[in-house]
Amino acid sequence: MKALKIFSLALLMIFIAQGKTFAEMPEITAGETYFDVFKGVYVLKDNVHVALNNHGFKAKITADGAKVSVVNQKCWADGNVKLEQENITFGCDNAYLQWATKTAEVTGNVKFENKKGVAINSDTAIFNWKEKIVDFYGKVIFDGQEYQHVKYNVVEEKILELDKIFDAPEIIIPEAE
């Protein structure tokens, strides 16, 4: 439990360093938590659940496991990764988030849905949360059609690009540092 409180405080410090604070402390639970001193990461295993409320922005993140580097401001999540926010659900097998670049790279069984019925499935995707743009790559299925690339604006709920032929970047989730 002490490790969990330290982890919560560390997450809070990341957001304070960026000039934003949580209205409420995030609720973080997992079957097992510990700090890997050799890699400098917090490790969360078995039924990871993070719920946050940042001044009205509410989100819930779940995964089988996660590692977080507070110093490097990075997070690795794997196994049944799911983000639920008011209007969207985003799922995948693996995710790699970097605060410095404000990006999330996701791989494996990527599934995006919003409450207005937009559904996009792909092999991989990159989400730029500053721009609120998601680029889906690989075998991308949208509206019953197959594409190699779909660019979607999450805020405007608008398709920006549909490409049948596209030279997609290779997305490889690195090992935790």
PDB file of all heavy atoms in Angstrom, residues 138-172:
ATOM      1  N   GLY A 138      -1.504   0.109 -40.781  1.00  0.00           N
ATOM      2  CA  GLY A 138      -1.544  -1.327 -41.027  1.00  0.00           C
ATOM      3  C   GLY A 138      -2.832  -1.689 -41.727  1.00  0.00           C
ATOM      4  O   GLY A 138      -3.288  -0.992 -42.638  1.00  0.00           O
ATOM      5  N   LYS A 139      -3.434  -2.765 -41.298  1.00  0.00           N
ATOM      6  CA  LYS A 139      -4.754  -3.136 -41.811  1.00  0.00           C
ATOM      7  C   LYS A 139      -5.770  -2.348 -40.991  1.00  0.00           C
ATOM      8  O   LYS A 139      -6.089  -2.703 -39.864  1.00  0.00           O
ATOM      9  CB  LYS A 139      -4.992  -4.632 -41.669  1.00  0.00           C
ATOM     10  CG  LYS A 139      -6.325  -5.087 -42.217  1.00  0.00           C
ATOM     11  CD  LYS A 139      -6.519  -6.581 -42.068  1.00  0.00           C
ATOM     12  CE  LYS A 139      -7.885  -6.985 -42.599  1.00  0.00           C
ATOM     13  NZ  LYS A 139      -8.104  -8.422 -42.430  1.00  0.00           N
ATOM     14  N   VAL A 140      -6.269  -1.265 -41.586  1.00  0.00           N
ATOM     15  CA  VAL A 140      -7.197  -0.374 -40.894  1.00  0.00           C
ATOM     16  C   VAL A 140      -8.593  -0.596 -41.470  1.00  0.00           C
ATOM     17  O   VAL A 140      -8.793  -0.500 -42.677  1.00  0.00           O
ATOM     18  CB  VAL A 140      -6.795   1.108 -41.066  1.00  0.00           C
ATOM     19  CG1 VAL A 140      -7.724   2.009 -40.255  1.00  0.00           C
ATOM     20  CG2 VAL A 140      -5.343   1.339 -40.672  1.00  0.00           C
ATOM     21  N   ILE A 141      -9.536  -0.880 -40.601  1.00  0.00           N
ATOM     22  CA  ILE A 141     -10.922  -1.072 -41.020  1.00  0.00           C
ATOM     23  C   ILE A 141     -11.750   0.097 -40.497  1.00  0.00           C
ATOM     24  O   ILE A 141     -11.808   0.350 -39.298  1.00  0.00           O
ATOM     25  CB  ILE A 141     -11.510  -2.398 -40.477  1.00  0.00           C
ATOM     26  CG1 ILE A 141     -10.636  -3.584 -40.857  1.00  0.00           C
ATOM     27  CG2 ILE A 141     -12.951  -2.574 -40.940  1.00  0.00           C
ATOM     28  CD1 ILE A 141     -10.531  -3.842 -42.343  1.00  0.00           C
ATOM     29  N   PHE A 142     -12.381   0.804 -41.441  1.00  0.00           N
ATOM     30  CA  PHE A 142     -13.267   1.922 -41.104  1.00  0.00           C
ATOM     31  C   PHE A 142     -14.453   1.898 -42.053  1.00  0.00           C
ATOM     32  O   PHE A 142     -14.278   1.837 -43.270  1.00  0.00           O
ATOM     33  CB  PHE A 142     -12.526   3.264 -41.199  1.00  0.00           C
ATOM     34  CG  PHE A 142     -13.442   4.447 -41.136  1.00  0.00           C
ATOM     35  CD1 PHE A 142     -14.112   4.756 -39.961  1.00  0.00           C
ATOM     36  CD2 PHE A 142     -13.669   5.228 -42.250  1.00  0.00           C
ATOM     37  CE1 PHE A 142     -14.987   5.837 -39.896  1.00  0.00           C
ATOM     38  CE2 PHE A 142     -14.530   6.314 -42.202  1.00  0.00           C
ATOM     39  CZ  PHE A 142     -15.192   6.614 -41.022  1.00  0.00           C
ATOM     40  N   ASP A 143     -15.626   1.952 -41.499  1.00  0.00           N
ATOM     41  CA  ASP A 143     -16.866   2.018 -42.271  1.00  0.00           C
ATOM     42  C   ASP A 143     -16.963   0.877 -43.301  1.00  0.00           C
ATOM     43  O   ASP A 143     -17.374   1.082 -44.435  1.00  0.00           O
ATOM     44  CB  ASP A 143     -16.971   3.383 -42.955  1.00  0.00           C
ATOM     45  CG  ASP A 143     -18.403   3.766 -43.273  1.00  0.00           C
ATOM     46  OD1 ASP A 143     -19.331   3.196 -42.659  1.00  0.00           O
ATOM     47  OD2 ASP A 143     -18.592   4.631 -44.153  1.00  0.00           O
ATOM     48  N   GLY A 144     -16.526  -0.317 -42.873  1.00  0.00           N
ATOM     49  CA  GLY A 144     -16.605  -1.494 -43.733  1.00  0.00           C
ATOM     50  C   GLY A 144     -15.559  -1.552 -44.828  1.00  0.00           C
ATOM     51  O   GLY A 144     -15.551  -2.478 -45.643  1.00  0.00           O
ATOM     52  N   GLN A 145     -14.674  -0.594 -44.894  1.00  0.00           N
ATOM     53  CA  GLN A 145     -13.629  -0.531 -45.919  1.00  0.00           C
ATOM     54  C   GLN A 145     -12.262  -0.751 -45.279  1.00  0.00           C
ATOM     55  O   GLN A 145     -12.050  -0.432 -44.106  1.00  0.00           O
ATOM     56  CB  GLN A 145     -13.633   0.839 -46.608  1.00  0.00           C
ATOM     57  CG  GLN A 145     -14.914   1.172 -47.327  1.00  0.00           C
ATOM     58  CD  GLN A 145     -15.095   0.339 -48.576  1.00  0.00           C
ATOM     59  OE1 GLN A 145     -14.160   0.125 -49.337  1.00  0.00           O
ATOM     60  NE2 GLN A 145     -16.307  -0.165 -48.774  1.00  0.00           N
ATOM     61  N   GLU A 146     -11.322  -1.274 -46.080  1.00  0.00           N
ATOM     62  CA  GLU A 146      -9.956  -1.483 -45.591  1.00  0.00           C
ATOM     63  C   GLU A 146      -9.030  -0.413 -46.154  1.00  0.00           C
ATOM     64  O   GLU A 146      -9.050  -0.120 -47.347  1.00  0.00           O
ATOM     65  CB  GLU A 146      -9.444  -2.872 -45.992  1.00  0.00           C
ATOM     66  CG  GLU A 146      -8.085  -3.177 -45.409  1.00  0.00           C
ATOM     67  CD  GLU A 146      -7.611  -4.593 -45.693  1.00  0.00           C
ATOM     68  OE1 GLU A 146      -8.461  -5.496 -45.794  1.00  0.00           O
ATOM     69  OE2 GLU A 146      -6.392  -4.774 -45.817  1.00  0.00           O
ATOM     70  N   TYR A 147      -8.225   0.164 -45.260  1.00  0.00           N
ATOM     71  CA  TYR A 147      -7.247   1.183 -45.617  1.00  0.00           C
ATOM     72  C   TYR A 147      -5.895   0.803 -45.001  1.00  0.00           C
ATOM     73  O   TYR A 147      -5.822  -0.080 -44.154  1.00  0.00           O
ATOM     74  CB  TYR A 147      -7.673   2.555 -45.082  1.00  0.00           C
ATOM     75  CG  TYR A 147      -9.003   3.025 -45.608  1.00  0.00           C
ATOM     76  CD1 TYR A 147     -10.182   2.739 -44.916  1.00  0.00           C
ATOM     77  CD2 TYR A 147      -9.087   3.747 -46.789  1.00  0.00           C
ATOM     78  CE1 TYR A 147     -11.413   3.158 -45.406  1.00  0.00           C
ATOM     79  CE2 TYR A 147     -10.313   4.167 -47.285  1.00  0.00           C
ATOM     80  CZ  TYR A 147     -11.473   3.868 -46.589  1.00  0.00           C
ATOM     81  OH  TYR A 147     -12.686   4.274 -47.071  1.00  0.00           O
ATOM     82  N   GLN A 148      -4.844   1.513 -45.419  1.00  0.00           N
ATOM     83  CA  GLN A 148      -3.536   1.346 -44.781  1.00  0.00           C
ATOM     84  C   GLN A 148      -3.259   2.480 -43.793  1.00  0.00           C
ATOM     85  O   GLN A 148      -2.367   2.371 -42.968  1.00  0.00           O
ATOM     86  CB  GLN A 148      -2.428   1.271 -45.830  1.00  0.00           C
ATOM     87  CG  GLN A 148      -2.445  -0.018 -46.613  1.00  0.00           C
ATOM     88  CD  GLN A 148      -1.272  -0.123 -47.555  1.00  0.00           C
ATOM     89  OE1 GLN A 148      -0.592   0.845 -47.879  1.00  0.00           O
ATOM     90  NE2 GLN A 148      -1.019  -1.338 -48.008  1.00  0.00           N
ATOM     91  N   HIS A 149      -4.040   3.565 -43.897  1.00  0.00           N
ATOM     92  CA  HIS A 149      -3.854   4.695 -42.991  1.00  0.00           C
ATOM     93  C   HIS A 149      -5.161   5.474 -42.889  1.00  0.00           C
ATOM     94  O   HIS A 149      -5.805   5.765 -43.902  1.00  0.00           O
ATOM     95  CB  HIS A 149      -2.746   5.626 -43.512  1.00  0.00           C
ATOM     96  CG  HIS A 149      -2.620   6.904 -42.744  1.00  0.00           C
ATOM     97  ND1 HIS A 149      -2.862   8.146 -43.315  1.00  0.00           N
ATOM     98  CD2 HIS A 149      -2.289   7.157 -41.458  1.00  0.00           C
ATOM     99  CE1 HIS A 149      -2.664   9.094 -42.413  1.00  0.00           C
ATOM    100  NE2 HIS A 149      -2.327   8.529 -41.279  1.00  0.00           N
ATOM    101  N   VAL A 150      -5.536   5.798 -41.651  1.00  0.00           N
ATOM    102  CA  VAL A 150      -6.671   6.679 -41.394  1.00  0.00           C
ATOM    103  C   VAL A 150      -6.233   7.679 -40.338  1.00  0.00           C
ATOM    104  O   VAL A 150      -5.694   7.297 -39.300  1.00  0.00           O
ATOM    105  CB  VAL A 150      -7.917   5.898 -40.905  1.00  0.00           C
ATOM    106  CG1 VAL A 150      -9.014   6.857 -40.453  1.00  0.00           C
ATOM    107  CG2 VAL A 150      -8.427   4.960 -41.986  1.00  0.00           C
ATOM    108  N   LYS A 151      -6.458   8.958 -40.621  1.00  0.00           N
ATOM    109  CA  LYS A 151      -6.144  10.028 -39.662  1.00  0.00           C
ATOM    110  C   LYS A 151      -7.471  10.576 -39.153  1.00  0.00           C
ATOM    111  O   LYS A 151      -8.342  10.936 -39.940  1.00  0.00           O
ATOM    112  CB  LYS A 151      -5.324  11.131 -40.321  1.00  0.00           C
ATOM    113  CG  LYS A 151      -4.925  12.253 -39.367  1.00  0.00           C
ATOM    114  CD  LYS A 151      -4.067  13.291 -40.044  1.00  0.00           C
ATOM    115  CE  LYS A 151      -2.643  12.902 -39.737  1.00  0.00           C
ATOM    116  NZ  LYS A 151      -1.665  13.939 -40.091  1.00  0.00           N
ATOM    117  N   TYR A 152      -7.598  10.656 -37.806  1.00  0.00           N
ATOM    118  CA  TYR A 152      -8.867  11.029 -37.189  1.00  0.00           C
ATOM    119  C   TYR A 152      -8.659  12.087 -36.115  1.00  0.00           C
ATOM    120  O   TYR A 152      -7.773  11.963 -35.269  1.00  0.00           O
ATOM    121  CB  TYR A 152      -9.508   9.782 -36.573  1.00  0.00           C
ATOM    122  CG  TYR A 152     -10.854  10.015 -35.945  1.00  0.00           C
ATOM    123  CD1 TYR A 152     -11.984  10.222 -36.721  1.00  0.00           C
ATOM    124  CD2 TYR A 152     -11.000  10.023 -34.567  1.00  0.00           C
ATOM    125  CE1 TYR A 152     -13.231  10.429 -36.145  1.00  0.00           C
ATOM    126  CE2 TYR A 152     -12.249  10.223 -33.980  1.00  0.00           C
ATOM    127  CZ  TYR A 152     -13.354  10.431 -34.774  1.00  0.00           C
ATOM    128  OH  TYR A 152     -14.581  10.641 -34.200  1.00  0.00           O
ATOM    129  N   ASN A 153      -9.479  13.139 -36.144  1.00  0.00           N
ATOM    130  CA  ASN A 153      -9.461  14.182 -35.120  1.00  0.00           C
ATOM    131  C   ASN A 153     -10.484  13.801 -34.060  1.00  0.00           C
ATOM    132  O   ASN A 153     -11.683  13.768 -34.338  1.00  0.00           O
ATOM    133  CB  ASN A 153      -9.794  15.549 -35.730  1.00  0.00           C
ATOM    134  CG  ASN A 153      -9.692  16.668 -34.718  1.00  0.00           C
ATOM    135  OD1 ASN A 153     -10.239  16.588 -33.622  1.00  0.00           O
ATOM    136  ND2 ASN A 153      -8.995  17.713 -35.098  1.00  0.00           N
ATOM    137  N   VAL A 154     -10.022  13.516 -32.858  1.00  0.00           N
ATOM    138  CA  VAL A 154     -10.872  13.038 -31.778  1.00  0.00           C
ATOM    139  C   VAL A 154     -11.843  14.117 -31.291  1.00  0.00           C
ATOM    140  O   VAL A 154     -12.999  13.833 -30.997  1.00  0.00           O
ATOM    141  CB  VAL A 154     -10.009  12.520 -30.597  1.00  0.00           C
ATOM    142  CG1 VAL A 154     -10.855  12.111 -29.420  1.00  0.00           C
ATOM    143  CG2 VAL A 154      -9.139  11.365 -31.054  1.00  0.00           C
ATOM    144  N   VAL A 155     -11.402  15.371 -31.224  1.00  0.00           N
ATOM    145  CA  VAL A 155     -12.239  16.453 -30.712  1.00  0.00           C
ATOM    146  C   VAL A 155     -13.334  16.820 -31.717  1.00  0.00           C
ATOM    147  O   VAL A 155     -14.503  16.929 -31.370  1.00  0.00           O
ATOM    148  CB  VAL A 155     -11.389  17.696 -30.360  1.00  0.00           C
ATOM    149  CG1 VAL A 155     -12.266  18.878 -29.992  1.00  0.00           C
ATOM    150  CG2 VAL A 155     -10.427  17.376 -29.236  1.00  0.00           C
ATOM    151  N   GLU A 156     -12.937  17.004 -32.970  1.00  0.00           N
ATOM    152  CA  GLU A 156     -13.910  17.376 -33.998  1.00  0.00           C
ATOM    153  C   GLU A 156     -14.701  16.176 -34.520  1.00  0.00           C
ATOM    154  O   GLU A 156     -15.634  16.353 -35.303  1.00  0.00           O
ATOM    155  CB  GLU A 156     -13.195  18.071 -35.161  1.00  0.00           C
ATOM    156  CG  GLU A 156     -12.577  19.398 -34.775  1.00  0.00           C
ATOM    157  CD  GLU A 156     -11.820  20.051 -35.920  1.00  0.00           C
ATOM    158  OE1 GLU A 156     -11.882  19.547 -37.066  1.00  0.00           O
ATOM    159  OE2 GLU A 156     -11.152  21.065 -35.671  1.00  0.00           O
ATOM    160  N   GLU A 157     -14.284  14.965 -34.107  1.00  0.00           N
ATOM    161  CA  GLU A 157     -14.917  13.720 -34.550  1.00  0.00           C
ATOM    162  C   GLU A 157     -14.988  13.680 -36.073  1.00  0.00           C
ATOM    163  O   GLU A 157     -16.040  13.471 -36.671  1.00  0.00           O
ATOM    164  CB  GLU A 157     -16.297  13.556 -33.918  1.00  0.00           C
ATOM    165  CG  GLU A 157     -16.230  13.499 -32.409  1.00  0.00           C
ATOM    166  CD  GLU A 157     -17.596  13.420 -31.752  1.00  0.00           C
ATOM    167  OE1 GLU A 157     -18.597  13.846 -32.363  1.00  0.00           O
ATOM    168  OE2 GLU A 157     -17.650  12.918 -30.624  1.00  0.00           O
ATOM    169  N   LYS A 158     -13.809  13.870 -36.681  1.00  0.00           N
ATOM    170  CA  LYS A 158     -13.752  14.033 -38.132  1.00  0.00           C
ATOM    171  C   LYS A 158     -12.590  13.230 -38.719  1.00  0.00           C
ATOM    172  O   LYS A 158     -11.474  13.283 -38.205  1.00  0.00           O
ATOM    173  CB  LYS A 158     -13.571  15.522 -38.437  1.00  0.00           C
ATOM    174  CG  LYS A 158     -13.494  15.890 -39.871  1.00  0.00           C
ATOM    175  CD  LYS A 158     -13.358  17.400 -40.003  1.00  0.00           C
ATOM    176  CE  LYS A 158     -13.174  17.801 -41.436  1.00  0.00           C
ATOM    177  NZ  LYS A 158     -12.960  19.248 -41.552  1.00  0.00           N
ATOM    178  N   ILE A 159     -12.875  12.513 -39.808  1.00  0.00           N
ATOM    179  CA  ILE A 159     -11.825  11.818 -40.556  1.00  0.00           C
ATOM    180  C   ILE A 159     -11.065  12.863 -41.358  1.00  0.00           C
ATOM    181  O   ILE A 159     -11.671  13.643 -42.108  1.00  0.00           O
ATOM    182  CB  ILE A 159     -12.425  10.751 -41.511  1.00  0.00           C
ATOM    183  CG1 ILE A 159     -13.149   9.666 -40.718  1.00  0.00           C
ATOM    184  CG2 ILE A 159     -11.347  10.175 -42.417  1.00  0.00           C
ATOM    185  CD1 ILE A 159     -12.244   8.766 -39.901  1.00  0.00           C
ATOM    186  N   LEU A 160      -9.740  12.884 -41.218  1.00  0.00           N
ATOM    187  CA  LEU A 160      -8.916  13.852 -41.923  1.00  0.00           C
ATOM    188  C   LEU A 160      -8.273  13.256 -43.170  1.00  0.00           C
ATOM    189  O   LEU A 160      -8.052  13.975 -44.150  1.00  0.00           O
ATOM    190  CB  LEU A 160      -7.836  14.408 -40.993  1.00  0.00           C
ATOM    191  CG  LEU A 160      -8.341  15.069 -39.712  1.00  0.00           C
ATOM    192  CD1 LEU A 160      -7.174  15.455 -38.821  1.00  0.00           C
ATOM    193  CD2 LEU A 160      -9.201  16.281 -40.033  1.00  0.00           C
ATOM    194  N   GLU A 161      -7.932  11.960 -43.111  1.00  0.00           N
ATOM    195  CA  GLU A 161      -7.308  11.292 -44.252  1.00  0.00           C
ATOM    196  C   GLU A 161      -7.733   9.833 -44.294  1.00  0.00           C
ATOM    197  O   GLU A 161      -7.851   9.185 -43.259  1.00  0.00           O
ATOM    198  CB  GLU A 161      -5.777  11.347 -44.152  1.00  0.00           C
ATOM    199  CG  GLU A 161      -5.187  12.728 -44.265  1.00  0.00           C
ATOM    200  CD  GLU A 161      -3.671  12.713 -44.116  1.00  0.00           C
ATOM    201  OE1 GLU A 161      -3.020  11.681 -44.387  1.00  0.00           O
ATOM    202  OE2 GLU A 161      -3.126  13.760 -43.712  1.00  0.00           O
ATOM    203  N   LEU A 162      -7.934   9.332 -45.510  1.00  0.00           N
ATOM    204  CA  LEU A 162      -8.188   7.914 -45.767  1.00  0.00           C
ATOM    205  C   LEU A 162      -7.244   7.502 -46.888  1.00  0.00           C
ATOM    206  O   LEU A 162      -7.358   8.019 -48.002  1.00  0.00           O
ATOM    207  CB  LEU A 162      -9.638   7.679 -46.208  1.00  0.00           C
ATOM    208  CG  LEU A 162     -10.744   7.951 -45.205  1.00  0.00           C
ATOM    209  CD1 LEU A 162     -12.109   7.895 -45.883  1.00  0.00           C
ATOM    210  CD2 LEU A 162     -10.688   6.932 -44.078  1.00  0.00           C
ATOM    211  N   ASP A 163      -6.287   6.613 -46.601  1.00  0.00           N
ATOM    212  CA  ASP A 163      -5.300   6.202 -47.599  1.00  0.00           C
ATOM    213  C   ASP A 163      -5.346   4.703 -47.809  1.00  0.00           C
ATOM    214  O   ASP A 163      -5.143   3.926 -46.869  1.00  0.00           O
ATOM    215  CB  ASP A 163      -3.890   6.611 -47.145  1.00  0.00           C
ATOM    216  CG  ASP A 163      -3.735   8.116 -47.011  1.00  0.00           C
ATOM    217  OD1 ASP A 163      -3.969   8.819 -48.003  1.00  0.00           O
ATOM    218  OD2 ASP A 163      -3.381   8.571 -45.903  1.00  0.00           O
ATOM    219  N   LYS A 164      -5.591   4.291 -49.067  1.00  0.00           N
ATOM    220  CA  LYS A 164      -5.576   2.868 -49.421  1.00  0.00           C
ATOM    221  C   LYS A 164      -4.141   2.363 -49.527  1.00  0.00           C
ATOM    222  O   LYS A 164      -3.862   1.210 -49.227  1.00  0.00           O
ATOM    223  CB  LYS A 164      -6.312   2.627 -50.743  1.00  0.00           C
ATOM    224  CG  LYS A 164      -7.798   2.877 -50.673  1.00  0.00           C
ATOM    225  CD  LYS A 164      -8.506   1.655 -50.221  1.00  0.00           C
ATOM    226  CE  LYS A 164     -10.017   1.840 -50.353  1.00  0.00           C
ATOM    227  NZ  LYS A 164     -10.743   0.692 -49.890  1.00  0.00           N
ATOM    228  N   ILE A 165      -3.237   3.238 -49.973  1.00  0.00           N
ATOM    229  CA  ILE A 165      -1.819   2.896 -50.072  1.00  0.00           C
ATOM    230  C   ILE A 165      -1.055   3.915 -49.246  1.00  0.00           C
ATOM    231  O   ILE A 165      -1.200   5.126 -49.436  1.00  0.00           O
ATOM    232  CB  ILE A 165      -1.336   2.920 -51.542  1.00  0.00           C
ATOM    233  CG1 ILE A 165      -2.123   1.888 -52.358  1.00  0.00           C
ATOM    234  CG2 ILE A 165       0.162   2.668 -51.626  1.00  0.00           C
ATOM    235  CD1 ILE A 165      -1.870   1.947 -53.839  1.00  0.00           C
ATOM    236  N   PHE A 166      -0.234   3.397 -48.313  1.00  0.00           N
ATOM    237  CA  PHE A 166       0.467   4.300 -47.405  1.00  0.00           C
ATOM    238  C   PHE A 166       1.695   3.598 -46.862  1.00  0.00           C
ATOM    239  O   PHE A 166       1.644   2.426 -46.502  1.00  0.00           O
ATOM    240  CB  PHE A 166      -0.450   4.712 -46.242  1.00  0.00           C
ATOM    241  CG  PHE A 166       0.069   5.847 -45.413  1.00  0.00           C
ATOM    242  CD1 PHE A 166      -0.128   7.151 -45.816  1.00  0.00           C
ATOM    243  CD2 PHE A 166       0.758   5.609 -44.235  1.00  0.00           C
ATOM    244  CE1 PHE A 166       0.339   8.213 -45.056  1.00  0.00           C
ATOM    245  CE2 PHE A 166       1.235   6.655 -43.465  1.00  0.00           C
ATOM    246  CZ  PHE A 166       1.018   7.962 -43.876  1.00  0.00           C
ATOM    247  N   ASP A 167       2.801   4.310 -46.795  1.00  0.00           N
ATOM    248  CA  ASP A 167       4.043   3.773 -46.232  1.00  0.00           C
ATOM    249  C   ASP A 167       4.056   4.088 -44.736  1.00  0.00           C
ATOM    250  O   ASP A 167       4.534   5.143 -44.316  1.00  0.00           O
ATOM    251  CB  ASP A 167       5.250   4.395 -46.935  1.00  0.00           C
ATOM    252  CG  ASP A 167       6.548   3.705 -46.582  1.00  0.00           C
ATOM    253  OD1 ASP A 167       6.507   2.561 -46.081  1.00  0.00           O
ATOM    254  OD2 ASP A 167       7.617   4.322 -46.793  1.00  0.00           O
ATOM    255  N   ALA A 168       3.495   3.196 -43.952  1.00  0.00           N
ATOM    256  CA  ALA A 168       3.333   3.416 -42.511  1.00  0.00           C
ATOM    257  C   ALA A 168       4.645   3.268 -41.757  1.00  0.00           C
ATOM    258  O   ALA A 168       5.483   2.433 -42.112  1.00  0.00           O
ATOM    259  CB  ALA A 168       2.315   2.436 -41.953  1.00  0.00           C
ATOM    260  N   PRO A 169       4.812   4.061 -40.704  1.00  0.00           N
ATOM    261  CA  PRO A 169       6.006   3.887 -39.862  1.00  0.00           C
ATOM    262  C   PRO A 169       5.897   2.584 -39.073  1.00  0.00           C
ATOM    263  O   PRO A 169       4.806   2.136 -38.728  1.00  0.00           O
ATOM    264  CB  PRO A 169       5.949   5.091 -38.925  1.00  0.00           C
ATOM    265  CG  PRO A 169       4.508   5.446 -38.859  1.00  0.00           C
ATOM    266  CD  PRO A 169       3.934   5.106 -40.207  1.00  0.00           C
ATOM    267  N   GLU A 170       7.035   1.974 -38.795  1.00  0.00           N
ATOM    268  CA  GLU A 170       7.062   0.767 -37.976  1.00  0.00           C
ATOM    269  C   GLU A 170       7.004   1.198 -36.505  1.00  0.00           C
ATOM    270  O   GLU A 170       7.813   2.000 -36.049  1.00  0.00           O
ATOM    271  CB  GLU A 170       8.306  -0.060 -38.234  1.00  0.00           C
ATOM    272  CG  GLU A 170       8.327  -1.356 -37.481  1.00  0.00           C
ATOM    273  CD  GLU A 170       9.538  -2.199 -37.809  1.00  0.00           C
ATOM    274  OE1 GLU A 170      10.465  -1.709 -38.480  1.00  0.00           O
ATOM    275  OE2 GLU A 170       9.565  -3.352 -37.359  1.00  0.00           O
ATOM    276  N   ILE A 171       6.038   0.693 -35.796  1.00  0.00           N
ATOM    277  CA  ILE A 171       5.885   1.050 -34.381  1.00  0.00           C
ATOM    278  C   ILE A 171       6.341  -0.134 -33.546  1.00  0.00           C
ATOM    279  O   ILE A 171       5.749  -1.208 -33.613  1.00  0.00           O
ATOM    280  CB  ILE A 171       4.436   1.420 -34.056  1.00  0.00           C
ATOM    281  CG1 ILE A 171       4.028   2.648 -34.879  1.00  0.00           C
ATOM    282  CG2 ILE A 171       4.274   1.687 -32.571  1.00  0.00           C
ATOM    283  CD1 ILE A 171       2.575   3.010 -34.758  1.00  0.00           C
ATOM    284  N   ILE A 172       7.394   0.089 -32.780  1.00  0.00           N
ATOM    285  CA  ILE A 172       7.932  -0.946 -31.898  1.00  0.00           C
ATOM    286  C   ILE A 172       7.936  -0.381 -30.494  1.00  0.00           C
ATOM    287  O   ILE A 172       8.515   0.674 -30.230  1.00  0.00           O
ATOM    288  CB  ILE A 172       9.365  -1.347 -32.312  1.00  0.00           C
ATOM    289  CG1 ILE A 172       9.344  -1.927 -33.732  1.00  0.00           C
ATOM    290  CG2 ILE A 172       9.954  -2.333 -31.310  1.00  0.00           C
ATOM    291  CD1 ILE A 172      10.706  -2.206 -34.302  1.00  0.00           C
TER     292      ILE A 172
END
